[in-house]
Amino acid sequence: MSTHTFSRIPRRSFLTLAGGAAGGLALTACGGGSASEIPAPSSDPDTLSGSVTVWFPPIGGDIERPYWDEQINKFNGIYPNVEVAVEIIPWDSRGERMSTAIKGKTTPDITYALPADIYNWGAGGILVPLDEVVADKDKYLPNGLETMSYDGTLYGAPTVMGMTTTLHVKPVWDAVGVSPEDYPTTFDEVKEIAPKLKEQGYYITQYEAAPTMTLNGSFYPLLWSAGGTVLNEDGTAAALNGPEGLRALEFAKWLVDGDHTPKDALTQQLPVETSPIAQKKVAMLFSRSTASLLLNGLTLEELVVAEPLADKRAAGYGNVGAWVIFKESQNKDAAAAWINFQNQPDNLREFLPPRNQQSPRTDVTDLYEEGTPEAALEPMMDLGVTEPKSPKATEIMGIIKPEVQAALLGQKEPQAALDAAAAQIDAALAKP
């Protein structure tokens, strides 16, 4: 398998992805009824009229205001009778603003949404289905469309993608005489080479199981790589306690029991400045962003990016940002025109690189200079997974965390821990 070295990645890109991983906004008020239909667009753009309000977070920082002002001008060059207002909503006030708007039925026509938003709002019936709205749907990455769907309905038009993947610390591998073409790519290869690292005072990885840490960077990618899922296909019951889940958890426990990962990381979030990663005692991270390792003091020249660790398949944590239209919108046809305009290839090529984001479309590629982390990640976007697709995803993760930790600490057998988590998840899913 090929690996890539690279030269730069802005910290802002990591923070944007981290914000996405934090979870969506809980639904505080539901809109009922059937989906509102959006009229087919007229062949004459002059016939489209109305006003559209858009909420968008400051992904690009200070570049957002002038960028959207220019986009409004470009849009109005095609649709002169549609009035568009784009409001930049800070991340730290987004939750409160959106919850208040949903409760008061004063939502904007359009907002930028994260996967957890789709599952909450889609289940709540307050979004317009976009299956017949998104233009060129066959040009989108299937996992992007799947991530922004709930219960078989597409609710978000993907506009950005990102993911975490395997990162290797080259100085550690160099110290033990392993070249990039021999870096491990599977569970079994990790188990084969980890003792060699341990003999020379190194860890193969840093598996983090502290209560404050997300499973998106630890157990979930191992579960997906082993061929498993948190929930069954229709999201009605737990599935993590099957043989795939056991394979993933036993692999993590093998790492712990063999001292191939620092045990302190199982119970506490290690300070980035003094962690084994910062001390260059860790050879690889299974599912991390480049910028997260830069915060640990590593340099770009010391890192090598590779595809996610595989067992039955290669899979990493993926994140998608998308446009959604609320049912409360009075100008759904104009809102649909806006999101399709923004997702045109030429506009995505202008939008994505300044924000260090990846394309959701198969016909928008080669956005970044060869040798950069963004260029290395681009061909991996179809390996990103977002799961579980449930309005109760945060609650489900909260159930799984202590059970996985208990297994890794030797307090429970792995199968017993997974079975306990599954029973609690099933009970949570059974509640309204």
Side-chain angles (χ1 to χ4, degrees):
M1 189 197 73
S2 62
T3 56
H4 308 265
T5 56
F6 41 79
S7 58
R8 63 175 182 84
I9 186 170
R11 183 171 183 266
R12 183 173 63 214
S13 179
F14 165 67
L15 294 178
T16 300
L17 181 59
L25 306 173
L27 186 63
T28 56
C30 297
S34 60
S36 301
E37 293 185 1
I38 298 178
S42 169
S43 59
D44 182 4
D46 289 345
T47 64
L48 192 64
S49 62
S51 61
V52 174
T53 299
V54 182
W55 285 6
F56 192 81
I59 294 176
D62 293 340
I63 70 171
E64 296 297 353
R65 184 72 273 157
Y67 176 84
W68 292 112
D69 288 345
E70 178 60 25
Q71 287 298 107
I72 291 171
N73 289 335
K74 289 170 62 178
F75 180 77
N76 285 148
I78 302 173
Y79 300 99
N81 298 317
V82 177
E83 181 180 349
V84 180
V86 177
E87 185 175 353
I88 309 302
I89 307 295
W91 286 112
D92 57 3
S93 62
R94 177 179 181 267
E96 183 178 354
R97 286 284 301 274
M98 194 60 71
S99 295
T100 299
I102 291 170
K103 185 176 181 180
K105 296 187 176 182
T106 58
T107 51
D109 298 274
I110 301 168
T111 194
Y112 176 86
L114 302 167
D117 299 326
I118 297 294
Y119 312 147
N120 279 291
W121 301 340
I126 64 172
L127 297 178
V128 174
L130 301 182
D131 290 282
E132 305 302 321
V133 174
V134 175
D136 303 323
K137 200 163 63 171
D138 61 331
K139 300 294 185 182
Y140 285 79
L141 286 165
N143 59 328
L145 294 173
E146 182 182 356
T147 296
M148 295 325 244
S149 300
Y150 178 72
D151 199 21
T153 298
L154 179 67
Y155 287 111
T159 196
V160 305
M161 292 185 72
M163 68 174 289
T164 58
T165 190
T166 297
L167 295 174
H168 294 278
V169 183
K170 192 173 184 297
V172 175
W173 289 116
D174 289 347
V176 296
V178 177
S179 57
E181 59 267 23
D182 294 322
Y183 291 171
T185 62
T186 67
F187 288 10
D188 289 340
E189 289 177 4
V190 166
K191 294 175 77 170
E192 181 180 351
I193 204 167
K196 180 177 181 178
L197 286 155
K198 179 181 175 182
E199 289 173 2
Q200 299 190 47
Y202 299 101
Y203 298 110
I204 184 73
T205 194
Q206 181 170 301
Y207 185 96
E208 295 168 329
T212 55
M213 303 302 289
T214 174
L215 296 181
N216 291 329
S218 55
F219 179 67
Y220 281 179
L222 297 182
L223 173 66
W224 302 327
S225 294
T229 56
V230 178
L231 302 181
N232 63 4
E233 189 172 352
D234 61 7
T236 59
L240 79 165
N241 59 329
E244 300 86 0
L246 182 61
R247 165 78 169 167
L249 188 52
E250 286 183 337
F251 173 66
K253 185 163 174 55
W254 181 89
L255 295 169
V256 172
D257 290 348
D259 291 320
H260 301 300
T261 181
K263 285 191 168 69
D264 287 353
L266 301 180
T267 56
Q268 59 183 301
Q269 187 171 346
L270 303 184
V272 293
E273 301 87 355
T274 58
S275 70
I277 296 173
Q279 296 171 14
K280 297 184 179 61
K281 293 293 185 181
V282 174
M284 63 187 294
L285 287 305
F286 297 154
S287 188
R288 293 288 286 268
S289 72
T290 312
S292 71
L293 296 193
L294 298 184
L295 295 177
N296 281 266
L298 299 180
T299 67
L300 290 163
E301 292 73 22
E302 293 172 324
L303 299 178
V304 177
V305 64
E307 286 187 358
L309 195 66
D311 190 46
K312 288 186 177 179
R313 63 167 177 162
Y317 168 67
N319 199 30
V320 184
W323 299 110
V324 299
I325 302 174
F326 286 102
K327 280 190 177 180
E328 293 293 332
S329 171
Q330 300 301 304
N331 293 291
K332 297 180 180 66
D333 51 352
W338 170 265
I339 64 175
N340 280 324
F341 175 77
Q342 295 306 325
N343 278 5
Q344 289 177 359
D346 286 348
N347 285 327
L348 285 177
R349 288 184 181 280
E350 183 179 355
F351 172 76
L352 293 168
R355 295 164 181 80
N356 302 104
Q357 302 292 333
Q358 297 289 338
S359 169
R361 295 182 59 129
T362 59
D363 57 351
V364 179
T365 59
D366 302 321
L367 296 176
Y368 299 101
E369 181 181 354
E370 187 176 354
T372 63
E374 296 91 347
L377 281 171
E378 182 183 292
M380 303 181 197
M381 284 301 105
D382 62 342
L383 302 178
V385 177
T386 304
E387 205 255 335
K389 295 173 59 180
S390 169
K392 298 185 178 182
T394 300
E395 181 180 358
I396 289 169
M397 185 181 289
I399 290 170
I400 298 171
K401 279 184 182 182
E403 297 296 341
V404 167
Q405 185 188 54
L408 297 179
L409 293 173
Q411 298 166 353
K412 286 187 175 182
E413 290 298 317
Q415 187 65 63
L418 293 172
D419 287 342
Q424 295 173 68
I425 291 169
D426 288 345
L429 292 173
K431 295 178 182 177

